[in-house]
Amino acid sequence: DRPMSANSMNLDYVFGFEAKFLDFDKIKNEVMPANRGNRQYFDKCPWHHGTLFTTDMPTSKMGQWILEKEKDMDPDLIELIRLTYARYFKIKTAFESGAAPSQKRIVNALLGELNQYRKKASFFAEYDAFDNIEILGEDFIKQMKRDLPPLVFRTAILNERIRKIEN
């Protein structure tokens, strides 16, 4: 909220919650350049210097930048990560259960591959409250339907992209 407040920082990761309310120009010009520190400690971590933005669906122009992030995702790379992880998990589970003690080298190699892919990956996904129904419960969604204005319910709970808003 203060101009140039991130300039003297050395950040290892950026979290942006309620991203639809964040000023993307400030993020680009002030926060992202500060995401630069501590490579000597975290260089092998695939999430080091990463970013995570979460929000419900934007309803104004200010928050539309978050939807543009979908273009940064490479679906083929994400699928490669998923497939490599499935193979890694299978071999790691066998190794940990003692069934395949000779697999440690393969487990480590696959983890190294995964980390290299993850360092280059951008992931974009949209979810609605029904994707989290086990935690939220049906009653919560029914209550939100009753209590929230229709536009807020559609964007915050159903995660609908609203193209045009009255007034």
Side-chain angles (χ1 to χ4, degrees):
D1 65 342
R2 291 179 192 90
M4 307 310 284
S5 61
N7 271 14
S8 63
M9 299 176 121
N10 284 315
L11 306 175
D12 295 300
Y13 198 89
V14 174
F15 292 95
F17 304 108
E18 297 302 337
K20 70 180 184 178
F21 298 116
L22 301 177
D23 181 336
F24 188 56
D25 285 334
K26 284 187 178 188
I27 292 169
K28 280 190 310 196
N29 296 322
E30 297 176 28
V31 176
M32 297 313 285
N35 193 8
R36 62 186 175 214
N38 296 309
R39 286 192 191 277
Q40 71 275 24
Y41 303 117
F42 304 114
D43 195 44
K44 293 187 190 290
C45 177
W47 301 282
H48 189 232
H49 293 151
T51 57
L52 172 69
F53 295 103
T54 62
T55 192
D56 58 342
M57 192 56 67
T59 55
S60 70
K61 268 192 168 183
M62 180 182 179
Q64 294 299 309
W65 67 270
I66 195 69
L67 300 177
E68 294 296 314
K69 290 293 180 185
E70 184 172 16
K71 295 175 185 169
D72 294 345
M73 186 174 84
D74 177 349
D76 293 333
L77 178 57
I78 298 303
E79 185 61 18
L80 179 60
I81 290 169
R82 285 185 175 144
L83 293 171
T84 305
Y85 181 80
R87 184 167 176 234
Y88 162 79
F89 184 78
K90 181 180 179 183
I91 295 171
K92 181 178 179 252
T93 303
F95 169 73
E96 288 174 348
S97 69
S102 63
Q103 300 296 315
K104 184 173 184 170
R105 187 179 50 77
I106 296 171
V107 169
N108 290 337
L110 284 170
L111 182 59
E113 269 184 63
L114 271 172
N115 287 345
Q116 288 305 309
Y117 299 151
R118 287 170 171 160
K119 279 185 176 188
K120 299 172 187 164
S122 288
F123 182 70
F124 180 93
E126 295 180 33
Y127 302 97
D128 62 33
F130 295 101
D131 291 310
N132 206 9
I133 194 75
E134 293 84 15
I135 294 171
L136 297 174
E138 245 182 87
D139 290 341
F140 172 80
I141 295 172
K142 288 176 184 175
Q143 180 183 345
M144 293 298 102
K145 175 91 168 127
R146 276 192 314 271
D147 295 348
L148 295 176
L151 179 65
V152 175
F153 181 78
R154 289 174 59 201
T155 57
I157 304 299
L158 300 179
N159 201 39
E160 285 184 28
R161 288 191 187 197
I162 305 297
R163 305 268 184 236
K164 189 174 180 182
I165 299 173
E166 281 187 49
N167 301 320

